[in-house]
Amino acid sequence: MFLCLPPFLPLSLEIHGKNTLSYQRFTDCYKRFYQLQPEMTQRIYDKFLTQLQTSIREEISEIKAEGNLEAVLTALDTIVEEGKDRKEPAWRPSGIPEKDLRSTMVPYFLQQRDALRRRVQRQEAENRQLADAVLAGRRQVEELQLQGQAQWQAWQALHRGQKELVAMLREPE
């Protein structure tokens, strides 16, 4: 028989040794059924409590097996022991989520901003070098164009001079 957890149940059955899943609270939630069949309500409560405890134990065992919980808890004990030697107090939440998030994230974001600024500066320096190289290349291309144009004009002048010389040598006949 599958019983779903009613919303009034806490996550744990005992808090500081006090049973938080009392029969009285159970009957308060199912008043009409309790008034009609109190013995049956008691049996359902007992069975529900037994199944709930068994389910919780199984879940804890699964978590221990799946998550290697014993190794994690041993590592946690080591961290606690190392923390005992610390002089400054450990971080504790203030109770104001915005403040806690800000206190954690602002240093990270500042570090990221600084890293990005350094990267932008490196990229801008590289871009300046590339722009200088492009400008030097353009100047070189312009010089080569001017040289090519001057050579072409010189060749044109030489070619005209040759035509005129050939024309003068043919005329005497």
Side-chain angles (χ1 to χ4, degrees), residues 59-73:
E59 292 255 349
I60 290 172
S61 296
E62 276 183 43
I63 290 171
K64 284 172 80 175
E66 288 177 5
N68 196 11
L69 192 58
E70 289 179 31
V72 171
L73 290 175

Side-chain angles (χ1 to χ4, degrees), residues 15-30:
I15 297 176
H16 301 294
K18 181 180 174 190
N19 186 353
T20 58
L21 183 62
S22 70
Y23 181 66
Q24 182 60 44
R25 287 181 63 196
F26 186 82
T27 58
D28 287 347
C29 290
Y30 300 100

Side-chain angles (χ1 to χ4, degrees), residues 16-114:
H16 301 294
K18 181 180 174 190
N19 186 353
T20 58
L21 183 62
S22 70
Y23 181 66
Q24 182 60 44
R25 287 181 63 196
F26 186 82
T27 58
D28 287 347
C29 290
Y30 300 100
K31 238 179 217 169
R32 291 181 189 249
F33 186 71
Y34 173 71
Q35 289 170 352
L36 293 174
Q37 297 184 356
E39 298 85 23
M40 179 66 93
T41 306
Q42 179 68 46
R43 285 196 303 269
I44 290 173
Y45 170 77
D46 293 340
K47 179 134 179 115
F48 176 72
L49 192 59
T50 303
Q51 285 182 352
L52 185 60
Q53 289 172 339
T54 303
S55 174
I56 289 172
R57 284 188 192 105
E58 288 172 359
E59 292 255 349
I60 290 172
S61 296
E62 276 183 43
I63 290 171
K64 284 172 80 175
E66 288 177 5
N68 196 11
L69 192 58
E70 289 179 31
V72 171
L73 290 175
T74 302
L76 183 60
D77 289 339
T78 306
I79 291 169
V80 167
E81 288 300 317
E82 290 172 357
K84 288 180 180 178
D85 298 334
R86 283 187 158 180
K87 304 270 189 280
E88 73 274 354
W91 179 86
R92 297 283 185 259
S94 68
I96 304 168
E98 295 84 11
K99 182 179 176 185
D100 295 339
L101 184 64
R102 194 176 312 114
S103 71
T104 305
M105 297 306 291
V106 166
Y108 171 77
F109 287 142
L110 291 174
Q111 180 184 14
Q112 292 299 312
R113 182 191 64 188
D114 293 342

Side-chain angles (χ1 to χ4, degrees), residues 2 12 24 32 39 42 47 66 71 75 80 82 111 113 119 125 137 143 146 155-156 158 163-164 167 169 171:
F2 177 73
S12 66
Q24 182 60 44
R32 291 181 189 249
E39 298 85 23
Q42 179 68 46
K47 179 134 179 115
E66 288 177 5
V80 167
E82 290 172 357
Q111 180 184 14
R113 182 191 64 188
R119 184 170 178 166
E143 289 174 12
L146 290 173
W155 180 80
Q156 286 290 332
L158 181 64
K163 278 186 178 180
E164 290 174 4
L169 289 176
E171 282 185 18

